[in-house]
Amino acid sequence: MKITTALLSLAFVTLSFAQTPNTWCNTDKSFCAQSLFNSTSGAITFAVSGTAPGWLGLGIGSSMSDSDVWVGWNNAGQTVISDRTATGHSMPAADANTQLLPLSATAAQVTTFVIPSNHVTKLYFARYATPKGTGGKTIPTNTKTSFIWAFAAAPPTTPADPNSAFKIHDSKGAFSFDFTAAGTAAGSGGSGTGGTGASGTPGTQTGGSSTTKVSVLATLCVGIMAFLAL
């Protein structure tokens, strides 16, 4: 059976659809958090960046009491990200069963994020909204969800160790992401409340426009194979 070139070329077509990440920055834009929720897989991809050369932190909730927190920093050209549990105003303990999947800056999931040019620390990771296995808290995606943030200029005590201790934050606060509006494939932006930081004024959440390419290679190849089998 003859298969035309046009039919075969369909297997390499990619489709593009607009996505709008949740984006929140503190007032002086020294810290930004971005997220994209995949309603199909249930995973949320995060980008956390800042001007602080020490460490950056993001967590679920409105305070450090019983919060899942993710802390990261640079080490010898690599990024170290630590999954931790905070029980109050003390050093968060490292989780034995991490829920995080670190991502590189070139991963397809993170290419939609726009990082300010003066940010020297950049963390990329993904996490299921509903944790897999044991450990971790659920991130509600059907309402506005509170997050806490913090950063410090001082580096961790042992940068190569994800369980390293680190000094107290230089600035901190809270904000919310609305996964029902921005940050999903059909999102169109949203508003959120910002926590107080070094400047003592609220930050803002915005929805920026971007495009993600989704390959249909696998689907079309399956269709072609079925067609050839006829």
Side-chain angles (χ1 to χ4, degrees):
M1 180 178 292
K2 182 178 180 181
I3 305 298
T4 66
T5 303
L7 176 60
L8 291 175
S9 67
L10 287 175
F12 300 94
V13 172
T14 58
L15 299 180
S16 298
F17 62 89
Q19 284 192 314
T20 306
N22 275 307
T23 301
W24 181 90
C25 298
N26 63 346
T27 305
D28 62 5
K29 300 190 185 308
S30 58
F31 179 97
C32 291
Q34 302 179 67
S35 66
L36 276 173
F37 173 54
N38 186 318
S39 58
T40 301
S41 68
I44 303 174
T45 303
F46 291 93
V48 180
S49 61
T51 58
W55 60 265
L56 308 177
L58 183 70
I60 308 169
S62 56
S63 72
M64 287 186 65
S65 178
D66 193 28
S67 174
D68 275 0
V69 296
W70 315 302
V71 185
W73 53 83
N74 296 322
N75 176 59
Q78 302 294 319
T79 300
V80 177
I81 303 178
S82 181
D83 192 354
R84 304 191 177 214
T85 299
T87 57
H89 294 284
S90 59
M91 178 66 60
D95 288 340
N97 299 309
T98 181
Q99 293 287 334
L100 293 188
L101 172 65
L103 301 170
S104 72
T106 58
Q109 298 98 314
V110 304
T111 55
T112 60
F113 299 125
V114 178
I115 306 298
S117 59
N118 63 333
H119 284 195
V120 296
T121 305
K122 307 165 189 176
L123 313 176
Y124 303 101
F125 56 90
R127 185 194 191 276
Y128 285 105
T130 301
K132 305 293 184 180
T134 59
K137 289 188 171 297
T138 297
I139 303 175
T141 56
N142 60 350
T143 185
K144 286 186 177 181
T145 302
S146 297
F147 288 86
I148 55 175
W149 62 273
F151 65 79
T157 305
T158 313
D161 183 5
N163 299 325
S164 175
F166 47 85
K167 292 185 177 180
I168 192 170
H169 45 67
D170 297 332
S171 186
K172 65 181 179 67
F175 67 96
S176 63
F177 275 153
D178 187 354
F179 292 107
T180 66
T184 62
S188 59
S191 61
T193 57
T196 57
S199 60
T201 55
T204 57
Q205 175 188 325
T206 60
S209 177
S210 58
T211 299
T212 298
K213 290 186 176 180
V214 178
S215 174
V216 295
L217 173 62
T219 302
L220 290 172
C221 281
V222 170
I224 291 172
M225 291 176 65
F227 182 72
L228 286 172
L230 296 176

